[in-house]
Amino acid sequence: ILNVEQSPQSLHVQEGDSTNFTCSFPSSNFYALHWYRWETAKSPEALFVMTLNGDEKKKGRISATLNTKEGYSYLYIKGSQPEDSATYLCALGGSARQLTFGSGTQLTVLP
Amino acid sequence: NAGVTQTPKFQVLKTGQSMTLQCAQDMNHNSMYWYRQDPGMGLRLIYYSASEGTTDKGEVPNGYNVSRLNKREFSLRLESAAPSQTSVYFCASMPRGLNTDTQYFGPGTRLTVL
């Protein structure tokens, strides 16, 4: 079982603040790193998939970076809005046909 | 396209009762997955089916069985429900089951075992 860790577990920020959180994973068994956004009472939805060291992906105000050598990925949100409030999950794609999910970072953006 | 659908949305069982959670996808995906979600523990894989006709155990398979009925449908059965199986259950599918594929999730089934 791959160990995928996310920090912090939860985060409160003011509207307009920028924020970031971390996903750590074992660098020795890396194939792909996924980020999902999970709103309360909904299903997780994919944000990014990254495979190469140094990858950087962007979607609007959200971006992510990947360092496979040291085993971490950062997710950044610029100018947080209340609608960004959600749990952000990262998941590691390894050698088996499955993803291993971290426990998530719960973001609350206060108006 | 409906995507991934799950039934029922809510269920309450008594300890020892059995039930089957249904999942179907209309995206012609090869791989399907069952997860449970518990507070503070993220999504944990119960069973998965990499392709029609195959099933494999995930991280927490004890107390569950699965059936990949056809390419569209993947059901999860609790033979004798226990309070520890109180959870939210999510079904997901992936186009090819590759680790770069996106997973598409159903709306979840909230199960309470008394």
Side-chain angles (χ1 to χ4, degrees):
Chain A
I1 297 171
L2 302 173
N3 192 26
V4 179
E5 296 185 352
Q6 291 188 247
S7 62
Q9 191 171 29
S10 65
L11 189 58
H12 289 72
V13 301
Q14 290 294 135
E15 182 175 355
D17 286 351
S18 294
T19 187
N20 66 85
F21 20 94
T22 307
C23 174
S24 302
F25 52 85
S27 57
S28 60
N29 194 20
F30 177 83
Y31 285 79
L33 193 285
H34 299 244
W35 281 100
Y36 285 80
R37 182 170 180 272
W38 192 0
E39 291 181 72
T40 301
K42 293 188 178 180
S43 308
E45 292 184 348
L47 285 172
F48 307 115
V49 180
M50 295 182 286
T51 57
L52 299 175
N53 185 44
D55 250 354
E56 186 169 340
K57 301 271 184 171
K58 188 174 182 181
K59 185 183 287 189
R61 293 179 291 98
I62 303 177
S63 60
T65 60
L66 177 65
N67 184 323
T68 59
K69 294 184 189 298
E70 296 182 37
Y72 65 84
S73 175
Y74 292 141
L75 189 80
Y76 301 90
I77 303 178
K78 185 178 179 181
S80 303
Q81 300 297 308
E83 57 265 30
D84 295 328
S85 296
T87 295
Y88 292 84
L89 295 171
C90 73
L92 188 67
S95 55
R97 290 180 174 237
Q98 55 180 278
L99 298 181
T100 301
F101 284 85
S103 55
T105 292
Q106 186 174 12
L107 174 67
T108 303
V109 182
L110 305 169
Chain B
N1 286 351
V4 181
T5 57
Q6 291 183 236
T7 54
K9 290 189 177 178
F10 302 93
Q11 184 71 50
V12 178
L13 293 177
K14 294 181 180 177
T15 297
Q17 286 185 316
S18 61
M19 78 160 296
T20 300
L21 280 65
Q22 306 287 352
C23 174
Q25 51 89 9
D26 62 1
M27 297 175 283
N28 200 35
H29 286 177
N30 284 337
S31 303
M32 298 184 73
Y33 303 79
W34 275 106
Y35 294 92
R36 59 178 289 172
Q37 188 255 329
D38 302 294
M41 303 195 75
L43 291 167
R44 292 186 294 168
L45 184 64
I46 305 171
Y47 271 93
Y48 68 104
S49 171
S51 60
E52 187 179 355
T54 68
T55 59
D56 286 285
K57 295 178 180 178
E59 182 185 351
V60 288
N62 291 345
Y64 304 96
N65 284 301
V66 289
S67 295
R68 182 75 182 266
L69 304 169
N70 48 55
K71 192 170 185 179
R72 289 188 65 247
E73 298 171 287
F74 187 39
S75 62
L76 178 71
R77 183 159 178 84
L78 288 69
E79 290 290 351
S80 179
S84 60
Q85 294 178 303
T86 293
S87 187
V88 182
Y89 292 85
F90 286 94
C91 178
S93 68
M94 288 170 79
R96 298 158 296 174
L98 301 179
N99 49 50
T100 51
D101 277 353
T102 293
Q103 283 200 357
Y104 296 83
F105 287 84
T109 295
R110 187 173 294 275
L111 175 67
T112 302
V113 183
L114 303 175

